[in-house]
Amino acid sequence: MTTRPRPLPFPAALGLALLLPVQAVALAGAAHAHGDTLKVVITGQQAGKVTADVTWENDGDPVEEAVAATVNAVSADGSRTAGPWRLVRGTGGAATWTTAETLPPGTWTVTVDAGFPSLGHAQQEVAVPVVDPAPPTASSGASPAPSPSGAPATATASAPPASATPATSPASDSDDAGWWTTAGVAGIALAGAAAGVLLRRRRLRRL
């Protein structure tokens, strides 16, 4: 013998019927608390990479989900285009997004279109400046700095020291040679005079 479940009293059944729609509305409200539109603001560029803030339109909260958005750019004269690129999370904050690719120097009209988790759109003119190249570093083979006194860095060879024994000059040699010559002439003259005296004495003795 099976027993049938007792029906709920009328007040309880009525309360349950009213509670279900309220819970459904609450859940739907919680699911759509941020709204169904994304607010995309292009903030500029960082080293040529496009930067943008993506938040919910209604409350301004950052988007915690992954954002599917494409970035396109057109140069000021319309001769160059870039993209489509996708947005990736940046490091400037919870709402900061950027591109992995970089724009060349110039003025660009940048457009961002988001499709997930909701729709969003933005367009902004972005200027990418020209970055001057770094100056060349000094080469390792540069000449050394001059000394304070103005003398060259490399010392010149010093002159050899003078000899302790003075060298005989040509003048002294000539003087010595002249003295010996004079002494020789005087000796010969004396010898001749002595011989003449002896000869005279011998002649006188013979007479």
Side-chain angles (χ1 to χ4, degrees), residues 73-142:
V74 181
S75 62
D77 57 3
S79 61
R80 294 180 295 171
T81 60
W85 300 332
R86 68 185 187 92
L87 286 179
V88 296
R89 285 197 180 274
T91 57
T96 303
W97 296 76
T98 184
T99 58
E101 298 82 4
T102 58
L103 287 172
T107 302
W108 301 83
T109 300
V110 179
T111 304
V112 178
D113 289 296
F116 182 85
S118 191
L119 298 179
H121 174 81
Q123 189 175 75
Q124 180 71 30
E125 189 175 272
V126 175
V128 181
V130 178
V131 179
D132 295 331
T137 57
S139 60
S140 58

